[in-house]
Amino acid sequence: MPPFPTIKTDHLRNSNVNISSLTFVLLILHSNMATASVAFKSREDHRKQLELEEARKAGLAPAEVDEDGKEINPHIPQYMSSAPWYLNAERPSLKHQRKWKSDPNYTKSWYDRGAKIFQADKYRKGACENCGAMTHNVKLCMERPRKKGAKWTNMHIAPDEKIETFELDYDGKRDRWNGYDAASYARVIERYEARDEARRKYLKEQQLKKLEDKNNKENGEGNVSDDDEDEDALKVDEAKVDESKQMDFAKVEKRVRTTGGGSTGTVRNLRIREDTAKYLLNLDINSAYYDPKTRSMREDPLPDADPNEKFYGGDNQYRVSGQAMEFKQLNVHAWEAFEKGQDIHMQAAPSQAELLYKNYKIIKEKLKLQMKDAIMEKYGNAATDAKLPRELLMGQTERQVEYDRAGRVIKGLETSLPKSKYEEDVFINNHTSVWGSWWKDHQWGYKCCKQTIRNSYCTGAAGIEAAEAAVDLMKANIDRKAASEETPVPAEEKRLATWGNDVPDDLLLDQKQLTEALKKEDERKKEEKDERKRKYNVRWNDEVTAEEMEAYRMKRIHHDDPMKEFLH
């Protein structure tokens, strides 16, 4: 990096240059020189550099390589791929984006599971009272609680566990596969390979056995047909075994768009090449619509063809058959149950929804059977082989019915009154009639005891007599009271002072009350002058006494009085 340019400070002492602006100029010079550390490129070199970057993004040119020999993705923006100036990076690299400062205390080792250190012969002080190990106490002991611990028996002392501590980084603490031994998966592979080998061996033995039986049998066309069927079954089994080896079926193709190996996803080919595409079954433009985006054809492309010969009948065929209908019914049941107030959601808890739907179907079937049994018990079942009673077959019965001359029923076949859905003839609290069988003075009651209280106990005829006696006594008391009352004494009317100047001649004033009225009038005058002394709750009385009227006259200001200025 070239040195900073020298700035003469002699003329700065005599000038009015701000120190902060000078610092800003120095920072600009420093940044310019940092960018100038990179080799200068002409306009032509810059244009070639842009063309090279476009070619790398299009996959026409090889990708740029970093210091470690790894390719750099050309789609990474420049502000991420370019290193800061203070790193003095000579070659393009993404090292500055990685964690290049490694932690010296970080280790990738893991716990040695089940390792033991030392096994003592006798109990040691401070060891576990249950097993005798020094590495834990009796609360953290993982062995079965002994009847008598090692502290008292001094026998079967457990070895000490190996205790290790590791300093893991952020990723190491959250790595779910940390400490996993990949070699342990080999046992799973061996088990599956042994199963496949046993299956192939069994199929081979069955095929050899069928061939021997076929050679030993000499006659019988039926036997030959049976052998052909067995041979076809064996071929089917072999096809099931070898279906994983079909061409281009389980092949995973990787779509690569960059030279660096960047992929946008994988595509698994699930269609057998021998099958005809559904949009080629019927080339008529007015036939079933094919949606190329979802690759679906809901209607039947060949509706007039023989259903036994065609293998595809449209996507709607699968929507209304098999488990699709059960799934629809399950969804409908979940919606209806949710609308009725149950906490059920098909997407949030599918297992719960399916279990509730199964219980709903079981309960529904039980209710149907109960209803069926009740109907059959009441009306009988005509489909059974049980013979009906002779009385019903011949229309004869032992019931005696009497009729009058007009044909009306007198005795033996009384007409039953229709009953409602509510309970009838339910007598409570020893009553012999129902509530509402008696009405008096706009109140319902019981007819048996004439009481108007709903939950009262029946008193019978004695209660009726007692109630009538109480009513008679009350009437007698009312009459006696009305006769004993005298005419009321008229109350003396207070003669109040009138609002005016005329004073009656016979007016008598109480001096004590007049003094109090004068005090009240003075207080009222003060409240009128200063409203701050007025109380919040004001009590008003329209009744004015003669003393209060006299106090008002005495305190009133007479405008025609020449001495009114000297009164206050």
Side-chain angles (χ1 to χ4, degrees), residues 38-75:
V38 186
F40 177 76
K41 294 181 181 179
S42 63
R43 181 176 297 179
E44 186 68 19
D45 295 340
H46 185 66
R47 185 180 60 79
K48 290 181 180 180
Q49 180 68 21
L50 291 178
E51 290 179 356
L52 181 60
E53 290 179 0
E54 293 296 332
R56 285 173 179 170
K57 290 181 180 180
L60 302 176
E64 198 173 9
V65 182
D66 61 357
E67 298 175 353
D68 301 332
K70 298 180 180 179
E71 294 181 349
I72 300 177
N73 193 337
H75 296 283

Side-chain angles (χ1 to χ4, degrees), residues 193-233:
E193 289 179 351
R195 187 192 65 178
D196 295 340
E197 184 66 26
R199 181 182 294 174
R200 285 193 294 269
K201 186 177 179 181
Y202 174 75
L203 292 174
K204 189 75 173 178
E205 292 176 357
Q206 291 292 328
Q207 189 176 8
L208 292 175
K209 186 177 179 181
K210 295 295 180 182
L211 291 174
E212 290 178 0
D213 294 343
K214 184 178 180 181
N215 294 332
N216 293 332
K217 291 180 181 180
E218 298 177 353
N219 55 354
E221 294 179 358
N223 296 334
V224 174
S225 63
D226 294 340
D227 293 339
D228 294 338
E229 293 178 358
D230 296 338
E231 188 174 355
D232 294 339

Side-chain angles (χ1 to χ4, degrees), residues 154-196:
N154 208 11
M155 296 173 60
H156 304 291
I157 305 298
D160 300 340
E161 296 92 351
K162 183 178 179 181
I163 299 177
E164 299 174 286
T165 56
F166 302 111
E167 294 184 4
L168 301 176
D169 60 351
Y170 182 86
D171 296 330
K173 292 178 181 178
R174 290 157 179 82
D175 187 7
R176 58 183 297 192
W177 296 101
N178 199 354
Y180 174 72
D181 186 10
S184 62
Y185 193 72
R187 290 177 291 178
V188 181
I189 299 175
E190 291 176 0
R191 186 169 70 249
Y192 276 90
E193 289 179 351
R195 187 192 65 178
D196 295 340

